[in-house]
Amino acid sequence: MTAKAQGRVIVVTSGKGGVGKTTSTANIGAGLARMGYKVVLIDTDIGLRNLDILMGLENRIVYNIVDVVEERCKLAQALVKDKRMPNLCLLPAAQTRDKSALTPEQMKDVVGELQKEHDFILIDSPAGIEQGFQNAVAAASEAIVVATPEMSSVRDADRIIGMLEAKEEITNYKLILNRVRPDMMKANDMMDVDDVLEILSVKLLGIIPEDQSIIISTNRGEPVVMREGDKVPKATMAYRNIASRIAGEDVPFLDLDTPIPWVERVKNLFKFGAA
């Protein structure tokens, strides 16, 4: 009898805070679960957890990942199942501890257990490149870098990509470009998608347009990817497309019609990986 394949472990990171990394984790995870996969989301932002709020699960948390590694509970007790999709669950971060409460080795142990029963483990990395980032990437073999079409965000993404390239365990990484506004790109007021890709030398996983429905969904604790109906928001379709690509489907990108030559103006900021 063939052994069950272990689940894929994907870290979602950015370097810079506030670019939509946690929102992307929630929506990609929910999108994969919507397709029938067994998915776990892990919040590694010890001390500042937010993934539970975006998922609408904050009132159901009893234990967290630090309780698991310090053996105050079993791993199964800390997992919070999403009642809307029983094949989706969350392993929350601890709010009253700091990032030193978790080590990369402990992270590997927890993820190794989750891989036995789940198809995908998505790890929401905290902002920055210190201990929290090291914990988040320790058990991952794939990475998603989230950035916005702003010079500061792209430069931070460039730094993160350099760090991912230095890790032998990370075999694949791709970019999500978030909060894209085609009107601003056409007016040369925002970096073009192709220019960002040229600067970062990275493959594109998806484009998320600026969409107020994301704010509404976040406040409701319901990932926008769960929205149903004939007229779902563009962001809903964008995240569903990303989930499909991760699952191996060939899905075309949203047509944004954005031909702007920003790249020559900013290339110098990114030479040699940007300090």
Side-chain angles (χ1 to χ4, degrees), residues 80-107:
V80 183
K81 284 193 175 182
D82 192 313
K83 292 180 179 179
R84 297 159 296 192
M85 290 186 285
N87 55 327
L88 174 64
C89 59
L90 168 70
L91 180 56
Q95 272 188 305
T96 57
R97 303 290 292 274
D98 60 35
K99 293 172 178 60
S100 65
L102 186 66
T103 68
E105 287 304 318
Q106 288 170 328
M107 188 70 184

Side-chain angles (χ1 to χ4, degrees), residues 42-240:
I42 304 180
D43 190 344
T44 59
D45 198 356
I46 310 295
L48 291 171
R49 73 182 183 211
N50 284 306
L51 187 52
D52 57 315
I53 295 175
L54 270 67
M55 298 298 296
L57 301 174
E58 66 273 15
N59 294 325
R60 297 182 50 214
I61 294 173
V62 178
Y63 297 109
N64 57 65
I65 190 170
V66 175
D67 291 323
V68 174
V69 300
E70 293 183 351
E71 299 183 347
R72 282 189 292 274
C73 71
K74 300 291 186 182
L75 178 55
Q77 292 177 288
L79 293 176
V80 183
K81 284 193 175 182
D82 192 313
K83 292 180 179 179
R84 297 159 296 192
M85 290 186 285
N87 55 327
L88 174 64
C89 59
L90 168 70
L91 180 56
Q95 272 188 305
T96 57
R97 303 290 292 274
D98 60 35
K99 293 172 178 60
S100 65
L102 186 66
T103 68
E105 287 304 318
Q106 288 170 328
M107 188 70 184
K108 289 178 183 178
D109 291 341
V110 169
V111 170
E113 286 300 309
L114 292 171
Q115 281 183 282
K116 297 174 184 177
E117 300 296 333
H118 298 85
D119 301 305
F120 290 95
I121 297 95
L122 297 185
I123 302 170
D124 184 24
S125 172
I129 56 175
E130 306 303 330
Q131 182 65 40
F133 171 79
Q134 299 300 333
N135 290 339
V137 301
S141 59
E142 302 175 56
I144 296 171
V145 179
V146 182
T148 58
E150 304 166 70
M151 291 169 66
S152 61
S153 175
V154 175
R155 183 159 65 177
D156 282 355
D158 189 54
R159 178 76 183 276
I160 285 293
I161 288 170
M163 296 179 72
L164 293 172
E165 287 176 338
K167 292 188 173 294
E168 292 181 2
E169 298 84 1
I170 302 292
T171 59
N172 176 30
Y173 58 87
K174 293 182 180 177
L175 177 75
I176 288 178
L177 199 59
N178 193 25
R179 296 180 188 149
V180 170
R181 291 188 54 178
D183 57 331
M184 291 185 67
M185 289 182 172
K186 290 175 184 177
N188 204 20
D189 291 329
M190 179 177 277
M191 295 177 71
D192 172 68
V193 175
D194 290 337
D195 293 341
V196 173
L197 296 178
E198 184 175 341
I199 290 164
L200 297 178
S201 298
V202 66
K203 290 183 178 179
L204 185 66
L205 179 60
I207 301 168
I208 310 298
E210 183 76 69
D211 194 329
Q212 67 178 16
S213 65
I214 292 180
I215 299 172
I216 296 168
S217 294
T218 297
N219 289 334
R220 290 177 177 172
E222 179 180 285
V224 72
V225 78
M226 291 182 177
R227 295 276 286 273
E228 300 293 347
D230 295 332
K231 295 183 179 180
V232 297
K234 287 184 178 179
T236 298
M237 291 308 304
Y239 276 120
R240 287 180 185 173

Side-chain angles (χ1 to χ4, degrees), residues 257-274:
D257 187 28
T258 53
I260 318 294
W262 257 66
V263 70
E264 295 304 324
R265 296 162 54 184
V266 295
K267 266 185 180 177
N268 288 339
L269 286 173
F270 302 90
K271 285 183 177 178
F272 310 111

